[in-house]
Amino acid sequence: MQITTSQLLKIMPNAQANVAKNKNWYSNGIPLDITTATQLLNYYAAESGITEPLQWVHFLANIAVESAELRYSEENLNYSAAGLRNTWTKRFPTTQMAMQYQYKPEKIANYVYAWRNGNGDEQSGDGWKYRGRGLIQYTGKANYKDYARWCGYDVVKDPDLMSKRVGSFRSACHYFGSKCLLLAKQDKGKDVRKRINGGLNGWAECEKYITRAKKVLL
């Protein structure tokens, strides 16, 4: 199964405008267009085994949430103190502590991702270097290494490759294809969300996209 541009836009109404806004996807000064975005999704989905309608439903719903309908291909860490406390309650137990980090994306990343997913300590800079990238937000040095071994490109040395056109779409398809296919086929939306997000952050929004995608694709 492949999807059409028309189907994609029924699921993600803002995607046509959004893909052109992502400067990481420019090629020779020309922005990505929605037709090419659909082609990239279809090509790399097929490569990764995303072939059945329910698999497409859960894949598209989750990348819609993670990328804000194809607007972003790297993690936005420009949090306020309140945002930090809501997102990482245990790491920011007090407002006073959160205020020391608010609106400092690099400092935030190095702190919250220290010693996680193969990263070093806060001073190593790994948290920022290997922050979330791609449509599914690959995060952490260990995950970058795994993807590099599979795709053959040294995204550990040059992590920004994960934010570019091919890296964004291919890494998302590979992650979903390697970790979520069976769950998606069984229509276990919350379990798919946990595999991608590590929890159920964004589930309410994801559920809305799932409902919309089912109407379009099933």
Side-chain angles (χ1 to χ4, degrees), residues 58 61-68 75 77 79 82-91 112-113 116 135-137 189-210:
H58 290 283
N62 277 278
I63 65 171
V65 174
E66 296 296 302
S67 69
E75 187 175 12
L77 287 153
Y79 285 89
L84 290 172
R85 296 206 66 203
N86 288 334
T87 306
W88 291 285
T89 305
K90 292 182 180 180
R91 289 183 176 263
V112 299
Y113 294 137
R116 296 178 64 187
L135 296 181
I136 271 184
Q137 301 290 309
K190 285 187 175 180
D191 291 329
V192 172
R193 187 69 194 146
K194 288 176 183 177
R195 285 279 175 91
I196 290 172
N197 178 259
L200 286 173
N201 288 335
W203 169 245
E205 186 182 10
C206 186
E207 197 171 22
K208 292 177 184 178
Y209 283 112
I210 289 171

XYZ file of all heavy atoms in Angstrom, residues 58 61-68 75 77 79 82-91 112-113 116 135-137 189-210:
406
model
N -1.121 4.305 12.155
C -0.389 4.615 13.385
C 0.939 5.319 13.097
O 1.377 6.164 13.890
C -0.181 3.335 14.192
C -1.445 2.808 14.777
N -2.036 3.350 15.902
C -2.284 1.824 14.364
C -3.154 2.705 16.171
N -3.328 1.773 15.251
N -0.044 8.998 12.241
C -0.537 9.690 13.438
C 0.615 10.105 14.336
O 0.640 11.228 14.862
C -1.504 8.790 14.207
N 1.579 9.223 14.504
C 2.695 9.529 15.400
C 3.667 10.528 14.804
O 4.168 11.399 15.517
C 3.407 8.239 15.810
C 2.713 7.556 16.962
O 2.897 7.907 18.119
N 1.873 6.572 16.646
N 3.930 10.448 13.504
C 4.835 11.461 12.950
C 4.140 12.814 12.883
O 4.797 13.854 12.963
C 5.423 11.078 11.575
C 4.361 10.994 10.490
C 6.233 9.790 11.681
C 4.957 10.825 9.095
N 2.812 12.816 12.770
C 2.084 14.091 12.808
C 2.295 14.776 14.144
O 2.501 15.996 14.210
C 0.599 13.854 12.559
N 2.253 13.996 15.220
C 2.458 14.562 16.554
C 3.911 14.980 16.740
O 4.207 16.104 17.174
C 2.066 13.540 17.644
C 2.424 14.077 19.024
C 0.573 13.243 17.569
N 4.837 14.082 16.420
C 6.254 14.337 16.683
C 6.822 15.485 15.855
O 7.697 16.218 16.318
C 7.071 13.066 16.425
C 6.755 11.901 17.349
C 7.108 12.207 18.791
O 8.279 12.507 19.068
O 6.199 12.148 19.644
N 6.332 15.646 14.638
C 6.881 16.677 13.740
C 5.971 17.881 13.576
O 6.296 18.781 12.789
C 7.140 16.062 12.353
O 5.917 15.755 11.702
N 4.848 17.902 14.309
C 3.851 18.969 14.147
C 3.417 19.077 12.690
O 3.515 20.116 12.046
C 4.372 20.312 14.654
N 14.258 18.479 17.469
C 13.547 18.757 18.704
C 13.640 20.225 19.104
O 14.704 20.825 19.081
C 14.139 17.879 19.809
C 13.437 17.905 21.121
C 14.025 16.923 22.116
O 15.131 16.386 21.845
O 13.395 16.703 23.158
N 13.700 22.567 22.035
C 13.980 22.493 23.471
C 13.964 23.869 24.133
O 14.525 24.042 25.209
C 15.335 21.809 23.699
C 15.326 20.301 23.450
C 16.699 19.815 23.042
C 14.837 19.553 24.679
N 12.280 25.612 26.205
C 11.216 25.527 27.200
C 11.254 26.676 28.212
O 12.321 27.127 28.615
C 11.349 24.224 27.991
C 10.910 22.976 27.266
C 11.795 22.249 26.481
C 9.608 22.505 27.386
C 11.406 21.085 25.832
C 9.201 21.345 26.754
C 10.100 20.640 25.970
O 9.705 19.486 25.336
N 7.954 26.642 33.422
C 6.738 25.836 33.588
C 6.742 24.634 32.655
O 6.358 23.522 33.042
C 5.509 26.696 33.336
N 7.198 24.849 31.430
C 7.275 23.750 30.469
C 8.249 22.668 30.898
O 7.991 21.475 30.726
N 9.366 23.085 31.457
C 10.347 22.118 31.952
C 9.769 21.272 33.073
O 9.951 20.050 33.112
C 11.602 22.847 32.437
C 12.468 23.479 31.356
C 13.560 24.336 31.988
C 13.100 22.405 30.470
N 9.066 21.921 33.966
C 8.497 21.190 35.105
C 7.390 20.241 34.662
O 7.243 19.153 35.205
C 7.970 22.167 36.152
C 9.084 23.018 36.782
C 8.696 23.483 38.169
N 8.585 22.342 39.083
C 7.868 22.353 40.212
N 7.187 23.420 40.546
N 7.824 21.296 40.979
N 6.624 20.639 33.668
C 5.562 19.767 33.165
C 6.113 18.575 32.397
O 5.568 17.474 32.475
C 4.616 20.559 32.254
C 3.740 21.515 33.017
O 3.463 21.307 34.192
N 3.311 22.584 32.358
N 7.205 18.796 31.662
C 7.754 17.752 30.806
C 8.686 16.819 31.559
O 8.667 15.600 31.351
C 8.500 18.383 29.614
O 7.625 19.298 28.940
C 8.967 17.322 28.631
N 9.535 17.396 32.425
C 10.512 16.601 33.178
C 10.367 16.912 34.671
O 11.255 17.526 35.279
C 11.933 16.909 32.717
C 12.246 16.425 31.339
C 12.478 15.137 30.952
C 12.409 17.226 30.153
N 12.754 15.073 29.608
C 12.712 16.340 29.093
C 12.311 18.594 29.897
C 12.935 16.783 27.801
C 12.521 19.036 28.604
C 12.837 18.142 27.573
N 9.264 16.485 35.227
C 8.947 16.831 36.614
C 10.030 16.376 37.592
O 10.423 17.127 38.500
C 7.599 16.200 37.017
O 6.598 16.616 36.074
C 7.193 16.649 38.410
N 10.529 15.170 37.396
C 11.524 14.641 38.324
C 12.868 15.355 38.189
O 13.602 15.498 39.170
C 11.703 13.137 38.110
C 10.491 12.311 38.517
C 10.735 10.834 38.328
C 9.528 10.008 38.744
N 9.750 8.551 38.557
N 13.191 15.775 37.007
C 14.482 16.441 36.798
C 14.444 17.917 37.198
O 15.489 18.523 37.428
C 14.931 16.285 35.343
C 15.358 14.850 35.019
C 15.870 14.726 33.596
N 16.356 13.381 33.360
C 17.628 13.005 33.439
N 18.557 13.888 33.779
N 17.988 11.761 33.192
N 18.998 17.086 30.655
C 17.926 16.083 30.713
C 18.307 14.775 30.010
O 17.771 13.714 30.351
C 16.598 16.621 30.136
C 16.122 17.830 30.923
C 16.712 16.941 28.654
N 19.242 14.840 29.053
C 19.616 13.628 28.339
C 20.954 13.043 28.786
O 21.453 12.093 28.175
C 19.650 13.892 26.830
C 18.295 14.198 26.238
C 18.128 15.224 25.306
C 17.171 13.468 26.605
C 16.888 15.498 24.762
C 15.925 13.744 26.072
C 15.786 14.759 25.144
O 14.553 15.039 24.602
N 21.762 9.021 29.308
C 20.613 8.312 28.731
C 20.906 7.910 27.300
O 21.526 8.654 26.544
C 19.352 9.198 28.764
C 18.867 9.569 30.154
C 17.664 10.486 30.108
N 16.511 9.842 29.495
C 15.367 10.471 29.220
N 15.240 11.775 29.500
N 14.354 9.837 28.677
N 11.603 12.682 11.782
C 10.168 12.788 11.996
C 9.689 12.032 13.224
O 8.586 12.275 13.717
C 9.407 12.282 10.759
C 9.618 13.078 9.469
C 8.803 12.481 8.345
C 9.248 14.544 9.680
N 10.515 11.105 13.732
C 10.136 10.387 14.946
C 11.062 10.771 16.091
O 10.964 10.242 17.190
C 10.081 8.865 14.672
C 8.691 8.489 14.183
C 10.450 8.029 15.859
C 8.457 7.015 13.953
N 11.945 11.724 15.869
C 12.789 12.252 16.938
C 13.722 11.204 17.553
O 13.646 10.903 18.742
C 11.924 12.891 18.035
C 11.042 14.022 17.565
C 11.823 15.285 17.198
O 12.635 15.771 17.964
N 11.569 15.804 16.017
N -2.769 1.288 19.703
C -2.279 2.658 19.572
C -1.454 3.141 20.744
O -0.417 3.783 20.558
N -1.882 2.859 21.962
C -1.142 3.319 23.130
C 0.222 2.649 23.216
O 1.214 3.286 23.600
C -1.938 3.058 24.412
C -3.085 4.021 24.617
C -3.732 3.830 25.982
C -4.807 4.869 26.226
N -5.444 4.703 27.561
N 0.298 1.381 22.850
C 1.582 0.678 22.883
C 2.540 1.220 21.827
O 3.743 1.333 22.062
C 1.373 -0.827 22.681
C 0.678 -1.481 23.863
O 0.863 -1.013 24.998
O -0.056 -2.461 23.658
N 1.995 1.565 20.664
C 2.823 2.197 19.632
C 3.357 3.528 20.146
O 4.542 3.851 19.994
C 2.020 2.406 18.328
C 2.827 3.243 17.336
C 1.643 1.078 17.702
N 2.476 4.283 20.772
C 2.883 5.597 21.296
C 3.996 5.464 22.324
O 4.950 6.249 22.328
C 1.664 6.307 21.911
C 1.940 7.743 22.330
C 2.160 8.636 21.149
N 2.732 9.918 21.531
C 3.590 10.592 20.781
N 3.970 10.125 19.616
N 4.070 11.754 21.187
N 3.901 4.471 23.185
C 4.928 4.250 24.197
C 6.260 3.884 23.560
O 7.318 4.312 24.029
C 4.491 3.150 25.164
C 3.367 3.561 26.107
C 2.922 2.398 26.972
C 1.754 2.767 27.856
N 1.282 1.602 28.649
N 6.221 3.099 22.492
C 7.462 2.729 21.802
C 8.153 3.948 21.210
O 9.373 4.040 21.172
C 7.163 1.727 20.676
C 6.871 0.322 21.156
C 8.145 -0.453 21.473
N 7.827 -1.750 22.042
C 7.662 -2.865 21.330
N 7.766 -2.807 20.000
N 7.394 -4.005 21.914
N 7.367 4.873 20.738
C 7.920 6.050 20.067
C 8.288 7.143 21.064
O 9.354 7.748 20.973
C 6.920 6.570 19.017
C 6.838 5.580 17.858
C 7.324 7.961 18.509
C 5.761 5.877 16.855
N 7.424 7.382 22.014
C 7.591 8.499 22.932
C 8.248 8.118 24.252
O 8.782 8.973 24.954
C 6.218 9.145 23.194
C 6.258 10.277 24.177
O 5.910 10.091 25.337
N 6.695 11.448 23.736
N 8.206 6.834 24.591
C 8.709 6.408 25.892
C 7.652 6.506 26.974
O 7.861 6.118 28.117
N 6.498 7.023 26.614
C 5.371 7.186 27.526
C 4.155 7.557 26.709
O 4.090 7.259 25.510
N 3.215 8.228 27.318
C 1.998 8.593 26.606
C 1.840 10.099 26.429
O 0.735 10.601 26.234
C 0.771 8.018 27.331
C 0.583 6.505 27.162
C -0.550 6.002 28.045
C 0.320 6.138 25.698
N 2.960 10.829 26.477
C 2.904 12.263 26.164
C 2.398 12.439 24.742
O 2.881 11.792 23.811
C 4.288 12.899 26.295
C 4.725 13.021 27.734
O 3.903 13.082 28.634
N 6.028 13.044 27.957
N 1.442 13.299 24.565
C 0.894 13.531 23.233
C -0.149 12.524 22.792
O -0.602 12.568 21.638
N -0.569 11.626 23.699
C -1.515 10.587 23.288
C -2.856 11.158 22.842
O -3.432 10.702 21.842
C -1.728 9.570 24.401
C -2.881 8.648 24.121
C -4.044 8.541 24.807
C -2.993 7.729 23.014
N -4.880 7.615 24.214
C -4.267 7.100 23.109
C -2.147 7.393 21.950
C -4.695 6.149 22.190
C -2.596 6.441 21.029
C -3.841 5.829 21.163
N -3.390 12.139 23.545
C -4.688 12.700 23.168
C -4.659 13.256 21.742
O -5.586 13.041 20.952
C -5.091 13.798 24.158
N -3.573 13.942 21.419
C -3.420 14.484 20.065
C -3.248 13.353 19.057
O -3.833 13.358 17.972
C -2.212 15.426 20.025
C -2.042 16.143 18.710
C -0.817 17.043 18.684
O 0.009 16.971 19.624
O -0.684 17.798 17.716
N -2.437 12.357 19.429
C -2.199 11.214 18.549
C -3.502 10.485 18.241
O -3.747 10.069 17.102
C -1.195 10.266 19.203
S -0.669 8.899 18.158
N -4.335 10.325 19.247
C -5.605 9.622 19.076
C -6.487 10.329 18.053
O -7.188 9.686 17.262
C -6.310 9.515 20.422
C -7.407 8.479 20.474
C -7.927 8.249 21.873
O -7.757 9.134 22.733
O -8.509 7.183 22.106
N -6.454 11.646 18.045
C -7.227 12.405 17.058
C -6.736 12.116 15.648
O -7.540 11.953 14.714
C -7.133 13.903 17.357
C -7.832 14.319 18.648
C -7.638 15.807 18.910
C -8.255 16.227 20.244
N -8.025 17.665 20.533
N -5.416 12.049 15.484
C -4.874 11.733 14.162
C -5.191 10.297 13.755
O -5.426 10.021 12.571
C -3.364 11.956 14.138
C -2.954 13.407 14.054
C -2.321 14.043 15.112
C -3.204 14.146 12.897
C -1.940 15.375 15.038
C -2.821 15.477 12.797
C -2.193 16.083 13.876
O -1.814 17.410 13.786
N -5.173 9.390 14.707
C -5.522 7.997 14.408
C -6.953 7.921 13.884
O -7.226 7.261 12.870
C -5.356 7.116 15.664
C -3.876 6.936 16.000
C -6.005 5.738 15.454
C -3.620 6.266 17.348
